[in-house]
Every structure is written in structure tokens, then in C-alpha cells.
Amino acid sequence: MKTARDLTLEAAQSAGSSRSFGSRAAVRDVPFLQVKKLLDSRHDRDILEGLRKVISVSGRLASMMRYLMSVLQMMYRSKPCLPYFSSVVKNVASPNIEIKKLVYIYLLHYAESEPDLALLSINTIQKSLTDQNPQVRAMALRVMSGIRVPVISQIVSLAIKRGCGDMSPHVRKAAALAIQKCYKLDPNTLPQLLEYLSVLLGDKQYYVVGSAVTAFLEICPDRIDLIHKHYRALIRKLVDMDEWGQLALLRLMTVYARKCFPKRFTRLKNNLSEGFYEDDTNEQDAETPKEEVQVLDPDLELFLKACKPLLQSRNSAVVVAVVRAFLHLGTPEYLDTAVGPLVALLRSGQDLQQIVLYNIVSVCLGRPASFVPYTSHFFVRSSDAPEVWQLKIELLTLVFPHSDSQSKGLILNELEHFTKTSRNDLVRESVRAIGRCAQNDSRTSKRCLNLLLRQTSSEDGNLVAEVLTVVRHLIQQDPASHTTTVIRLAKNLDTMTNPEARASIIWLVGEFADLEGEDNIAPDVLRILAQGFADESEPAKLQIVLLAAKVYIHHINRTQKSDSDGKASGTQDEDELDSSVEQKPSTEQNHPIAILWRYILLLARYDTSYDLRDRTRFYKALLGDPTSIQLASLLLLAPKPVPHTPSPSEGRKFWLLGSASLVIGEEAGLSGLSGYENLPEWVQAGQEPDPKVRDEIITKPQYGEKRDEPAGEKLDTALREKAAERKLDGVGQSTNRMTLDDWLAEEESEGSTESEEDDDEDDEEEEEEEEEEEEEEEEESDEENSDAEKTRLVEKKDKLVQHG
């Protein structure tokens, strides 16, 4: 009962301490002398208790301790544990593996603070490298390489050499992980480490090779010559590796392929119907261009085929790495197979959706047609964050030109629905997306334009301003067919109050000021706007002044053209010409357009805006000099370039897929974040290494030499031998596939034949025993007969002697 009571109290105490984890209540400190007494004890139980208390004091080591030990007695606030160093380190020679783990944890954390005392434990750790337990050997190697004391770099190098030849794969994996630590400790050990690394890259265990590849990328990523002879073996181990090893190997092989496999193309022959004469087909072949198709190297195709199973990986980083390999190395067919698994990553959490969408957009910018079947996955949900739905809307605009009519209708209905929401940022992005859809697909531009024009009557000024900006870009693509659209927009100036919206409409009217007849509404619009010039906003005033300058210069150009036409006709007399020249200045000054121009100049002259006054003086000086009319025409009436609104992520497509620079974008700078490395260019044809360097060297065992044959090979050999025996026994029998009943019947027949053979052997043994017994009896009888003859001969001899 007392023992049960103590255990109950201890369990309650540990449960209470675990519940208090994370709380900010004051925790009583452990007495120094008490802990030191526990560490100096001779009993493993007391030492283990003291180590738990020491490690539980440090807040940083608590997580490591929870990983190694499932039970912790208490959690304390951060406190320096360096005073316990000597008492803890002396327990490194303890045979208890739990004590070794705790000492190693403490040693890794504080060895840099006390290098002299840490060196005292090196000899004991070296002895652990020869321990019978592979876990102890691996742990000792891991700890020795983790002690950041440069003096022991050569000792660590020798320990790695010993670990590379260890029988346990766990120790070899620890040796591979220790290579990069040793290199950081002393870069001068690189030649030795390269030898060890070359051995580990050829290891038969896949988890050893994964750590070796990670070390290779860390210390010598440019030494591609070390990979040649292991290339095909590494490819075969790719599927079996852990996720971190797969990521490292995919990154390595992507760079290796760019440096060792040139990009080759071939022209496909067009399958044309042959003509009646052979000359017809030759002429057709010469005229029609041939399609170029990329040709893959066999070793490169081996790598790409090995990557396909990884598309089903549970790790999203592995899937993105495979897509990157297909995008930069493979043909479009390989990329099409990777689109579905990449889109499936959108089912992950909110924290990964944004990163996945950046990678999807980057791939979609180059090949949008592959994402058309997955259009429904890009529709916006109510729970999506702003960063997520922005990228989804961008994807909808990218796949829009390649979709069918039904999908286009769904996309436009989706975007139109978002223009009616109360979120200004979503409304603005939806309107811009509709504009990009109309820009990328001319067949639906009219529908998109009507959809936008319906939004101009909205009471939301921000929406109207954004709509008119997009409409202006669409009208500039084909100005001749949108004259009625400009007239319709000009009628909305009476009710429109948003400054940016009014400025956009006034600019559009000025672009159509050169029309003839009733379609030229620019002078009437200018006359109406001049009445309320003082009440307009500054952006609208600037556009009104620009509109007045365009209307006036068109008027000047028309009058000059009419004068030149009159002079060319030559029908007027000299007196009539003189009178017309005298009346010309007065008629020009009294023309309504000239009067309206001077009125606008006076209104702008006394405005409070410096920018408006400066702009007005510039236009007045430019148009007031008759010699600069041609220059003014070039300046104000020059044809405007057709605006093209790029996709928001257009500047990200040059970043490498799966990199952090792709997610950050322009903020990463011109060269990306620190540590960013782009893929190298394809090697030129003729400069690639010889394909024979990738041939695997198979060494045959010499006569009398034993070869270590894996269990898998032994099993395969036994199965082949068994199959060969069955083929020899079953000559003349049917070669059809055997059913389960046939197998069972065969086993029973084999069992019966074996029992019969055993009976025959027993009978033979009995016969042999009987024959042996008969032979023994004959020999005994012969011996008896020989003895009787001897006695008879002796008796005859005695009788002869007596008679003689």
C-alpha cells in the first residue's frame, strides 16, 4: 500500500508539473548542492535524476529532452547550467545509454563555452566508437562532430573514416551527416572528406545515400565528376529515400542534367497525302514547316521516369521539386502529368495554399492550356485570404483564352459577381481581371466591355473609376469601332462625381476630337465643362485644358488644310485673295473654338494649382507661335501605343520554382534572396562528358573469394532455380497458369512422393542390416570351422609324435 501511495503521489506530481508547462508562475529553483550530489552519486538512478533536473532547468534544451525522454519531472524557467559542466561530463563513461544521451545533449550545448573541459571527454567518446551497440557508435560520432572545437577536426575526420566502413547503416548515415559539420569546423579537411563522400555515395542503403547527397550539396556542389559513376544507382534509390533525401537528390540531379545533357531537337516529318506525281509531294514537303520536338538523352529520361512516382508524395516540397525538374528538363508531356498533383496541393492548409498558388501561377504563365481542366479549383471561396483569392483570380484570367465557351461564361459570371461585393480590393481586382480577359481574347472583348459598361452606373465611385480605366485601355485597342461607346460615356459626365472617372472620360473625348460631322462631340463637351471649370477637381481640370488644346489644334489644322486646298485650286482672283488674307485673322479670332480656347486659358491662369498654371502656360506658348504648330501636333496628337496590362505575377516567372524568391517577388531584389542559385544553362552539344563515365563498374569475385550476397538476391536465385526445376520436371505438360488448387495438389503429391521415398529408404536399410547379420554369422561359422581344423591337426601331430 505504501509503495502504491508513493507511486500515486509521484504520478500526481509529474502530472501537475506537466500541466504547469507554459505557465508564468514562479517555479522554485533546484538547490545547486542537491543537484551536484545527485550527479556525483555512484548509482545510475541518482545520476539520471540529476541529469533530468539539469536539462529541465534550461529552457532551450527542454524541447530536445522531450524528444529523447518521454518523461520529464519538471519544467523551470531559463537558468544558466554551466556550473554543472564538470559534474555532468564525468558521467560520459557511464554504461547506461540513457545517461549517455543526456550527457551528450548537455555536452553539445555547452562544449563551445568550456572547450578545455569538453576535450577531456573526447577519449571516452572515441572509445564509444568501438562499442558493440550501433546506436552508441552512431550517437558518439554525431556528438563528436557536433562539438564545435576546431582543435579536434582531425580526430573527427578519422572518426568519419571509421564510420564510413562500419557494418551498421545507421553509423554510416551518421558519418555522412558529420561530413558537413567537419567541413564547417575546418575547411582544410576537404580532400579527406571528398574521399569519404565518394565512398558513401556508392552505399547500398538508400538512407545513407540521402545523407551523403545532402553533404555533397553542402561542401562541394560543383564536383559533378564524383556523381558520374553513381548516377544510375542514385536514380534507382530515389523512390526509397526519405523526403529530405529526395529533395536533395532532385535538386542535385536537376543541376547535373543541365551540365551533362545537351538540349537536342529533331524535326518531325509531316504526314501529308501523296500526290499523283512524286514531284507534288516534294513541293508540299518543301513548303510546309516541320515541327521541332525535343529529344531526351536515355539517362535523362531514366531520371524523369524515376520522378513520376514521387508525384504521389505526401510532402508538398517533393511534388514541387518534381514539377521543377519536369518544367526545366522534360518535354511538355512530362509537365502535363505533373499538373494534376500540383493542383491537388491546394487541399492543404491556408499556410501552404499561398505558396502553392505562386508555383502554380509560375507554371501557368508558360503553359496555361494544361490547367484548363482544373478551372473549377481556382474559383474563390468565402474563406480565402486576400493573398489567396488574388492569385486565384489571376489564374482564372490566364486560363480564360484557352477555355471553351462554357468555361469562359463561368469565369465571367464569377468575376461579375465579385464586382458587386462590398470589399473594394476584391471589386478592383475583379474589374482588372475582366479587362485582362478581354485583352487576351478578342472574341469575348465585346461581351467584357458591355459587362464593364453596366458597372458605370454604380454609386460606388471607386468601382466606376476602376471600370473606366479598364474601358479606356480596351477602347485604345480598336478606337475606330468604339465611337458610340465614347459618346455613351460622355453622357455620364452630368451624373458622375468621381474625379478619376471624370478625368478618364474627358481624356477619351479628347482622343476622338479629330472626327468629322456629328460624331465630333469634343467642342460641345468642352463648352459644357468650361461652365463648371472652377468646381472641377485638379485631375479633371488638367484633362479639360488638354482637351481644349487638342480641339484648338485640330481647328488650326483644318483651317490650314482648307487654305492650302484653296491655293491649289487657283480659281480665285488676286483681289479676292488679298481680301481673304485680311479677313483671316479676324475670322480666326472670332471663331467659337478660338474664343473657347482663350476662355479656358483665362480660367486656368488664376487657378490655385501650380501644376495647372504651368501646364497652361506651356500649351499657350506652344500653340501661340504659328511656326510650332507642327511640333504641337506631334506632341499632342501623336498615336498612343496600345496598352497591354500584364499579369500581376509576370515578373516572378524568371525565379526558380519552389524558391523563396518566387514567393517574395520584387522585394527579393534583382539577384534574389541570400543563397538563391538559379539553374545553369544547358551544356553545349559536344562539350558534355562522355556517357561511358556513367556506366556502372561491376567487379566479379575472384576464384575462391566469397561474395556478400544480399538476402534479396539469394531469394531471387532460389526462386529461379525452383522455376527451372519445375520446367525440367514438367516437359510436355501444358504451360498454362496454375490455379490455387493445382498448387495444393502439387504440394500433396510432392508430400506423398516424399513419404513413399522415405518408406523405400527404410526398407533398404532393413535389407542392408539383414545382409550384414548374415555375413557376420558366416564369418563366425568360418572362424569356428577353422578352429576345429586347427585342433584336429594338433591332435594328429601329437599322435605321430607318440608313435615315432
Side-chain angles (χ1 to χ4, degrees):
M1 293 296 294
K2 185 177 180 180
T3 306
R5 180 174 178 275
D6 294 339
L7 291 174
T8 305
L9 291 175
E10 184 178 356
Q13 183 180 1
S14 61
S17 62
S18 63
R19 284 195 301 269
S20 63
F21 173 69
S23 61
R24 299 192 177 185
V27 182
R28 185 174 57 185
D29 296 338
V30 181
F32 174 76
L33 295 177
Q34 180 183 351
V35 176
K36 197 172 186 310
K37 183 179 179 180
L38 290 173
L39 294 173
D40 295 337
S41 177
R42 295 182 179 179
H43 302 287
D44 291 347
R45 182 176 180 180
D46 296 338
I47 295 173
L48 192 59
E49 187 74 19
L51 287 171
R52 286 175 177 173
K53 291 180 180 296
V54 170
I55 293 179
S56 63
V57 169
S58 175
R60 181 179 176 183
L61 292 177
S63 58
M64 299 172 64
M65 180 56 192
R66 287 198 308 272
Y67 176 71
L68 294 173
M69 304 294 295
S70 60
V71 180
L72 278 178
Q73 199 176 50
M74 59 186 68
M75 298 295 295
Y76 290 101
R77 62 178 182 271
S78 297
K79 179 182 177 182
C81 300
L82 204 56
Y84 304 106
F85 194 88
S86 58
S87 300
V88 172
V89 171
K90 72 178 183 180
N91 294 301
V92 72
S94 175
N96 191 334
I97 190 171
E98 297 297 330
I99 294 178
K100 277 182 178 293
K101 288 180 181 179
L102 298 177
V103 173
Y104 286 162
I105 292 172
Y106 183 88
L107 191 60
L108 286 174
H109 187 64
Y110 290 106
E112 198 171 2
S113 302
E114 291 288 341
D116 296 334
L117 293 176
L119 291 176
L120 298 177
S121 61
I122 296 298
N123 292 332
T124 307
I125 298 175
Q126 280 185 296
K127 292 179 182 179
S128 299
L129 294 174
T130 58
D131 195 273
Q132 294 182 356
N133 190 350
Q135 185 180 3
V136 175
R137 297 198 301 270
M139 191 164 49
L141 182 56
R142 193 179 301 116
V143 171
M144 185 178 291
S145 61
I147 297 176
R148 295 181 292 271
V149 180
V151 182
I152 64 170
S153 60
Q154 293 299 326
I155 300 177
V156 175
S157 178
L158 293 175
I160 295 173
K161 182 178 180 181
R162 179 190 293 271
C164 291
D166 198 281
M167 295 295 294
S168 174
H170 298 285
V171 181
R172 298 199 299 272
K173 180 179 180 181
L177 294 173
I179 288 177
Q180 48 187 329
K181 298 179 183 178
C182 184
Y183 176 74
K184 292 179 180 179
L185 197 63
D186 185 9
N188 296 325
T189 58
L190 181 60
Q192 306 170 15
L193 299 178
L194 290 179
E195 297 179 4
Y196 310 151
L197 190 59
S198 179
V199 174
L200 293 173
L201 285 172
D203 199 279
K204 295 182 179 180
Q205 295 294 335
Y206 54 87
Y207 44 87
V208 178
V209 175
S211 302
V213 171
T214 304
F216 176 86
L217 293 174
E218 194 69 28
I219 67 172
C220 56
D222 297 330
R223 290 294 304 272
I224 301 296
D225 55 314
L226 298 177
I227 307 296
H228 291 322
K229 57 183 179 181
H230 306 299
Y231 175 80
R232 293 168 187 169
L234 290 174
I235 297 302
R236 289 194 296 269
K237 297 183 181 71
L238 176 61
V239 180
D240 298 326
M241 289 183 181
D242 60 334
E243 297 166 351
W244 299 108
Q246 289 172 352
L247 286 173
L249 189 56
L250 286 170
R251 176 185 169 192
L252 172 62
M253 289 306 169
T254 306
V255 177
Y256 181 89
R258 283 293 191 100
K259 291 184 177 181
C260 299
F261 304 123
K263 194 173 185 179
R264 294 188 176 94
F265 292 93
T266 184
R267 292 182 179 273
L268 295 179
K269 294 182 179 180
N270 296 323
N271 296 326
L272 299 175
S273 59
E274 296 183 359
F276 186 78
Y277 299 102
E278 295 181 356
D279 296 339
D280 298 339
T281 58
N282 295 333
E283 292 177 0
Q284 291 178 357
D285 292 341
E287 292 176 359
T288 57
K290 298 180 180 179
E291 183 182 0
E292 286 189 351
V293 179
Q294 183 180 358
V295 179
L296 298 178
D297 190 273
D299 285 331
L300 176 57
E301 193 167 6
L302 177 67
F303 168 60
L304 295 177
K305 288 181 178 179
C307 291
K308 283 187 176 181
L310 299 184
L311 292 172
Q312 310 301 325
S313 176
R314 61 182 179 181
N315 193 327
S316 57
V318 175
V319 178
V320 173
V322 174
V323 176
R324 177 178 61 207
F326 287 171
L327 177 64
H328 297 288
L329 302 178
T331 57
E333 289 76 13
Y334 281 98
L335 185 60
D336 291 341
T337 60
V339 169
L342 182 62
V343 175
L345 296 179
L346 292 176
R347 302 170 186 170
S348 53
Q350 291 284 345
D351 53 341
L352 291 179
Q353 281 189 5
Q354 183 183 0
I355 299 175
V356 172
L357 282 169
Y358 275 121
N359 290 276
I360 292 176
V361 169
S362 180
V363 179
C364 190
L365 286 170
R367 192 170 177 80
S370 301
F371 292 87
V372 172
Y374 307 97
T375 304
S376 59
H377 292 76
F378 306 139
F379 287 155
V380 180
R381 300 180 180 179
S382 58
S383 59
D384 289 338
E387 296 82 6
V388 173
W389 57 252
Q390 285 178 2
L391 294 171
K392 285 187 175 181
I393 289 177
E394 183 178 359
L395 284 170
L396 291 176
T397 59
L398 290 175
V399 302
F400 181 81
H402 306 275
S403 303
D404 53 5
S405 57
Q406 183 178 2
S407 299
K408 289 179 181 179
L410 288 175
I411 293 174
L412 290 178
N413 292 336
E414 184 84 1
L415 296 176
E416 183 182 8
H417 170 72
F418 294 138
T419 58
K420 301 176 183 179
T421 60
S422 58
R423 301 170 61 178
N424 294 332
D425 51 353
L426 182 57
V427 170
R428 188 185 307 110
E429 195 65 31
S430 302
V431 170
R432 292 175 181 174
I434 294 174
R436 291 198 299 271
C437 290
Q439 172 184 288
N440 297 330
D441 188 7
S442 58
R443 291 173 296 179
T444 58
S445 59
K446 185 176 181 180
R447 179 181 176 183
C448 294
L449 184 61
N450 294 331
L451 183 63
L452 293 172
L453 291 176
R454 286 201 296 267
Q455 305 295 331
T456 55
S457 59
S458 175
E459 297 179 358
D460 188 359
N462 296 325
L463 172 61
V464 175
E466 194 65 39
V467 166
L468 288 175
T469 302
V470 176
V471 168
R472 177 167 58 87
H473 291 167
L474 295 179
I475 291 175
Q476 284 184 262
Q477 294 181 0
D478 188 12
S481 60
H482 291 94
T483 304
T484 57
T485 304
V486 175
I487 297 174
R488 177 181 174 182
L489 291 175
K491 294 178 180 179
N492 294 330
L493 284 174
D494 297 336
T495 58
M496 199 166 295
T497 57
N498 188 274
E500 298 296 334
R502 293 180 65 84
S504 298
I505 295 177
I506 295 170
W507 185 88
L508 282 173
V509 172
E511 288 297 307
F512 288 82
D514 58 339
L515 298 178
E516 299 292 340
E518 297 179 355
D519 293 335
N520 191 2
I521 61 172
D524 292 333
V525 173
L526 180 61
R527 176 179 57 80
I528 296 172
L529 292 173
Q531 298 176 3
F533 183 85
D535 299 329
E536 295 285 350
S537 61
E538 184 175 351
K541 289 180 180 179
L542 290 172
Q543 295 302 324
I544 291 172
V545 173
L546 178 60
L547 174 62
K550 290 180 179 180
V551 170
Y552 183 65
I553 197 170
H554 279 300
H555 168 67
I556 294 175
N557 290 335
R558 290 193 193 96
T559 55
Q560 289 181 351
K561 184 178 180 180
S562 61
D563 293 343
S564 62
D565 293 341
K567 290 180 180 179
S569 62
T571 56
Q572 293 181 344
D573 297 336
E574 294 182 358
D575 296 338
E576 293 179 354
L577 290 173
D578 294 339
S579 61
S580 63
V581 170
E582 291 177 357
Q583 295 176 358
K584 181 179 179 180
S586 60
T587 55
E588 286 185 357
Q589 292 179 359
N590 296 328
H591 195 276
I593 293 179
I595 296 173
L596 190 59
W597 165 246
R598 291 195 300 270
Y599 179 67
I600 295 295
L601 292 179
L602 290 175
L603 291 174
R605 180 179 180 181
Y606 299 102
D607 196 85
T608 58
S609 173
Y610 292 96
D611 190 13
L612 181 61
R613 295 200 301 268
D614 293 341
R615 188 78 59 88
T616 304
R617 282 194 292 268
F618 171 72
Y619 292 151
K620 182 180 179 181
L622 187 64
L623 298 176
D625 188 2
T627 59
S628 62
I629 296 299
Q630 187 176 2
L631 178 62
S633 299
L634 292 175
L635 182 63
L636 299 176
L637 306 180
K640 308 298 187 297
V642 178
H644 179 76
T645 306
S647 184
S649 300
E650 190 73 24
R652 298 175 186 263
K653 66 179 182 180
F654 301 104
W655 298 113
L656 192 61
L657 204 68
S659 62
S661 300
L662 173 66
V663 178
I664 295 177
E666 297 178 355
E667 298 179 1
L670 297 176
S671 58
L673 296 175
S674 178
Y676 173 80
E677 293 182 2
N678 206 348
L679 289 178
E681 297 294 333
W682 289 93
V683 64
Q684 297 295 328
Q687 299 180 1
E688 72 276 9
D690 189 1
K692 294 182 180 180
V693 299
R694 289 186 288 274
D695 293 341
E696 296 179 347
I697 301 175
I698 302 175
T699 57
K700 297 183 178 180
Q702 298 180 359
Y703 180 76
E705 182 182 358
K706 293 183 178 180
R707 187 176 72 91
D708 294 334
E709 187 176 5
E713 293 184 8
K714 291 181 180 179
L715 182 59
D716 295 339
T717 305
L719 291 174
R720 285 195 296 268
E721 292 177 355
K722 188 70 174 177
E725 291 177 359
R726 288 174 179 170
K727 287 182 179 179
L728 291 175
D729 296 339
V731 175
Q733 296 179 0
S734 62
T735 59
N736 295 332
R737 184 173 296 176
M738 300 178 66
T739 62
L740 180 60
D741 298 334
D742 297 336
W743 283 105
L744 295 175
E746 184 180 0
E747 289 180 358
E748 292 177 357
S749 63
E750 289 178 356
S752 61
T753 53
E754 289 177 357
S755 61
E756 292 176 358
E757 291 175 356
D758 293 339
D759 296 337
D760 296 338
E761 291 177 357
D762 295 337
D763 296 338
E764 291 176 357
E765 290 178 356
E766 292 177 358
E767 292 176 357
E768 291 177 356
E769 290 178 356
E770 292 176 356
E771 290 177 356
E772 290 177 356
E773 290 178 356
E774 291 176 356
E775 291 177 356
E776 290 177 357
E777 291 177 355
E778 290 177 355
E779 290 177 356
E780 290 177 356
S781 61
D782 293 339
E783 290 177 357
E784 292 177 355
N785 294 331
S786 61
D787 293 339
E789 290 178 357
K790 288 180 181 179
T791 54
R792 283 195 298 270
L793 290 174
V794 171
E795 291 177 354
K796 287 180 180 180
K797 187 178 181 180
D798 292 339
K799 290 179 179 180
L800 290 173
V801 171
Q802 290 177 0
H803 289 294

